[in-house]
Amino acid sequence: MRTRSAISLMLIGLLLIPLTGCWNSRELRDLSIIGAIGIDKLPDKPGYKVSFQIINPSAVTTTGTGGGGGQSGIPVTVYTGNGRSIFEVIRKTSGLSPRQLFFSHIRLIVIGETLAREDLSNLFDFFERSHEIRLTTKLVVSRGSSAEQLLQVLTPLERIPSDAIYGKLESTKSIWSESMITGVDDVINRLIGPGKQLLISGVRILGDQDKGGEKANLDKTKLPAEIEIKGIALFKNGRLETWLDGGKARGALRIQDKMNSSVVTVPCKDRDDPAAIAAIEITRSRTKVKATVVDGEPAFRVYVREEGNVGEVSCAVDLSKKEAIEELEQRWRSKTKQEIREAIEAAQSRSSDVYGFGEVLNRSYPRTWKKLEDRWSEVFADCEIEVQVESFIRRSGMRTKPYIKE
Amino acid sequence: MIKRRKLRSQTSQQPSGNSVSPLGTDLKANLQRMNRSMGHSNDLVIREFRIGYVQEDAAIAFIDNLVDKKIIGEFVLRSTMSGTADSESNASERDIDVLDTIKNRILPLGEAAIAKEWNELFAAVLNGDTAIFVNGYAGAIIVSTHGGEHRSVEEPSSEVLIRGPKEGFTESIATNISLVRRRLKTRNLWMDGFKIGNVTQTNVGILYIKGIAGDKTVEEVKRRLASIETDGVLESGIVEEFIRDHPFSLFPTMYNTERPDSVAAGLLEGRVAILIDGTPFVLLAPTTFFMFFQSPEDHYHNFQFAIFIRTLRFVAFLISLLGPSIYVAAISFHQEMIPTSLLLSLAAQREGVPFPALIEAFLMEASFEILREAGVRMPRAIGQAVSIVGAIVLGQAAVQAGIVSSAMVIVVSLTGIASFTMPAYNMGISIRMLRFMLMISAGLFGFFGIALGGLIITAHLCSIRSFGIPFMAPFAPFIAADQKDTLLRLPRWFLNTRPRLISQENTTRMNGSKPAPPGDAAEEGSPDEN
């Protein structure tokens, strides 16, 4: 009895060897860890030009006492290949890379502007299909340069450029709110969602594009080439239509209730003096979008409730007085309203419902939505959208009256 | 092992050689026979004298160094030699057995008996007793004169506590029993004695509290002890191997301790203690898996700290069992699970390492085990120095030479340190061995292999028993009441029951009630406050 069970146990153990699906044990030193992928359009023929930003571990970590100390200090290497499909290029690049490309740690996918202006709605199948790539990988559009060029720019502090770009995205999103973070999963959801269009943040190179890839880029205090997060790309049917910048971008975030914190500058007092301003820090902002249908015509109301603190004042205004605060709140309110209006206008003029008004309608009036679904783009362009803003200033900082005298 | 077997075959005739044979009446013949039987050993002391009371020739025989000579001189020789032949009583008591008279009226000693038979006599004499022969009487008086050299009660070296009694068991079973008895002053603390080992005739005692320990368990322990057939028992480990359940299991199914307080606590829970002469390690049965994670100190410190420490111990257990295998699996199969920056730093470290992760792990683990073993066997004076030098050479230098990565050194040393947190050394041994098996399966199959290994270990643990009690109790089977003192250690006033499976009939401990201000206590009417 005992021997029989022991034998059967051993047989079961033997069966396991062919059962192991993930048998492919890979040593770390046989892997090229990729930090970012860039995808550009080939200039004259169909297909993609794909760039891989490969991280050089021993140049990135400060205490790499392993044998590879003598290598060049450049933290990343960029390999580029051409092909009809992304997958094809990946395998093709093996001729360039001494190690197998490893995609699980991709932070960023950069899409070249020229490709974005053409059509990217069919681009994402590979990212969804591959088991190595995470769906939460973030997407950005390279603004004014190719993705390949952008990936080549070296960055200080964060030695890995993809990490640097990601860090910039995170920090500007949370304290300036003029850009948003979009993952591959978000993009796919939006592409298949009802009437929803894409919004993807833009990234551009400031300065000399060609110098960005040189090691000298890290040896200067003022960098010859820098990467900046700038604007939000507005898409229609997978095609980049326009860029939302500044107030418009902020308005776009407000409509989607994605505002974290930002600083709004409003004129202080009544004078038209451009130097007399008050800067208000937004500490809390909540947005609700409501749909109504009148005579079969949908209309929307965007309701914003925001709170903030006064952060800076450059004119003599006594903030201990209720009237002064109310006046500031009034100005702030109209500024917010204006930003939102601009953002809506930008979308309506391109008849691209990037903010998801269609989904609000679908949720509240599914029958109306069914009727309008097919021609939603045109309907949306003419929709009545009302904006209501409530603004509250809660604190005025460490003092009420500024030292500035009239 | 082989040696022992040989020994048995040589000596197996010996016990039958001096089988049941009564003593003769002739003093000279008896003494001669005794001397001959023991091969005229030098330490057999035979002293002939004349008993004053009956004016009869007599002799005492004892083994030098096993006896307390003061007792022999003061109480055996002096009392028997003194006195003169009292004619009156002589006449009346001539016919009565002189041996009885001496035993009953003359010897002022606590323990005395009369042996009529040689085997009995030898057993007693070799145990440190003294035999008194009287000419003309077939029999000898055996008086207890145990003595000789013993290690005194010292702090146990294998189980160190910060707070708690500093006494440890010694090699003398008598001392050990007294250490336990002193802690449990109840007439219900019962003891049974055995002699195990055909040659060694080792005294083995079992201790249990009648009414708390399960009768079946006691019977089972006795049955298993009685069935041991061996030449010699030199340590409790030998007894353990004979009587334990699942002798092929890697896990110890019996608990051993050097601490009388641990034994007392075990007895109070209804376990049976097995004490063996010649070793300070006392066995406790039945044993459960979670006993090995508990230190007596858990009950001596406050309960919050005890819960913290126990949690820590379980974490350390998992680290020491799985540490290297998780590292190997993650680094060679599941790179996507490691956070990017950590992966990059690991990749940088492994850049120059010539071995695959599994080989590297084996190399380091093996050298750590060598260091550990060397540290134990080394003469104490140089042991520490050697292990420090070994650690520096193997750790620092190997990393600098690029043979192993520093992350591996960290993993291995963390594993090593974590394995020292086990209060019981023998559980640590099984973890050390299982760690290597898990490393292999992790190196072959990744996390799948670890899960598989873990499954096999868990299934095995759930299938074994110790003296009828499931090894994984109170988790498999789940017993809610026993959770109070397993992973957690609740305050004392909550611990009002004994482990249910172990003390089956009498599980109420009645631990008293929660400390409260005097007024409240009076209201609750708790008799044993403090």
Side-chain angles (χ1 to χ4, degrees), chain A residues 16-17 20 22-29 31 33 55-58 61 66-67 71 99 102 104-105 134 160, chain B residues 331-333 335-336 338-340 343-357 444-445 448 452:
Chain A
L16 292 172
I17 294 172
T20 50
C22 291
W23 170 251
N24 52 340
S25 158
R26 291 169 301 192
E27 280 299 315
L28 267 187
R29 54 170 193 275
L31 294 178
I33 301 162
I55 303 168
N56 177 3
S58 53
T61 47
Q71 293 174 355
R99 299 174 181 180
F102 183 62
S104 290
H105 287 273
R134 290 167 203 225
I160 306 166
Chain B
I331 213 170
S332 50
F333 284 92
Q335 293 93 351
E336 67 279 353
I338 309 171
T340 311
L343 180 76
L344 287 172
S345 127
L346 292 177
Q349 286 170 25
R350 293 191 48 78
E351 204 89 316
V353 177
F355 306 111
L444 291 179
F445 308 113
F448 178 67
L452 215 73

Side-chain angles (χ1 to χ4, degrees), chain A residues 65-296:
Chain A
T65 47
Q71 293 174 355
S72 74
I74 288 186
V76 290
T77 313
V78 176
Y79 293 127
T80 306
N82 300 339
R84 292 293 299 274
S85 66
I86 299 172
F87 196 37
E88 179 196 338
V89 183
I90 288 171
R91 287 293 166 94
K92 229 187 204 175
T93 325
S94 59
L96 293 172
S97 165
R99 299 174 181 180
Q100 193 190 337
L101 300 182
F102 183 62
F103 290 90
S104 290
H105 287 273
I106 294 178
R107 260 298 176 62
L108 212 59
I109 296 169
V110 182
I111 294 161
E113 190 170 350
T114 39
L115 175 65
R117 287 207 182 268
E118 206 139 290
D119 188 9
L120 47 68
S121 45
N122 300 332
L123 194 65
F124 300 102
D125 181 73
F126 170 72
F127 298 107
E128 205 180 18
R129 207 175 286 279
S130 162
H131 71 274
E132 271 191 5
I133 296 175
R134 290 167 203 225
L135 281 177
T136 52
T137 309
K138 307 303 177 218
L139 276 170
V140 288
V141 175
S142 160
R143 194 171 174 181
S145 64
S146 70
E148 187 190 2
Q149 280 171 317
L150 193 93
L151 288 189
Q152 286 170 356
V153 178
L154 293 177
T155 51
L157 291 178
E158 279 285 354
R159 306 258 292 157
I160 306 166
S162 51
D163 275 1
I165 297 171
Y166 186 76
K168 287 172 195 182
L169 267 175
E170 286 257 282
S171 81
T172 188
K173 186 201 107 187
S174 60
I175 65 170
W176 185 237
S177 296
E178 275 186 17
S179 56
M180 46 194 291
I181 298 185
T182 321
V184 174
D185 48 348
D186 297 327
V187 168
I188 292 167
N189 279 340
R190 281 186 163 236
L191 286 173
I192 60 173
K196 269 187 158 189
Q197 304 285 358
L198 287 179
L199 282 176
I200 301 177
S201 281
V203 176
R204 68 175 179 187
I205 304 176
L206 284 181
D208 192 343
Q209 297 191 347
D210 299 327
K211 290 222 173 112
E214 289 170 21
K215 207 185 171 190
N217 199 38
L218 297 176
D219 291 342
K220 290 193 176 168
T221 50
K222 175 78 184 92
L223 304 182
E226 278 174 289
I227 293 176
E228 187 197 25
I229 311 293
K230 180 70 179 166
I232 300 175
L234 189 150
F235 286 75
K236 186 190 177 186
N237 300 332
R239 195 169 294 135
L240 199 163
E241 285 285 331
T242 184
W243 289 95
L244 303 176
D245 278 316
K248 271 190 227 170
R250 201 148 58 187
L253 285 175
R254 281 189 199 268
I255 298 168
Q256 299 174 84
D257 198 16
K258 282 184 179 166
M259 167 64 72
N260 283 311
S261 172
S262 190
V263 176
V264 182
T265 315
V266 296
C268 107
K269 291 211 161 173
D270 258 341
R271 277 177 289 170
D272 290 329
D273 182 2
I277 49 105
I280 297 163
E281 178 198 5
I282 303 172
T283 52
R284 189 172 300 161
S285 169
R286 287 281 158 270
T287 305
K288 277 179 195 150
V289 179
K290 290 230 164 77
T292 50
V293 178
V294 182
D295 301 333

Side-chain angles (χ1 to χ4, degrees), chain A residues 328-344:
Chain A
L328 271 183
E329 284 178 347
Q330 173 58 40
R331 284 170 215 282
W332 182 20
R333 191 175 305 138
S334 58
K335 171 105 184 182
T336 305
K337 220 171 195 170
Q338 180 204 337
E339 283 179 0
I340 295 174
R341 281 247 69 92
E342 279 175 7
I344 291 172

Side-chain angles (χ1 to χ4, degrees), chain B residues 250 372 424-435:
Chain B
L250 271 181
R372 193 157 149 162
Y425 184 73
N426 48 351
M427 184 52 90
I429 296 172
S430 27
I431 293 169
R432 273 156 75 182
M433 289 185 288
L434 284 171
R435 184 194 302 155

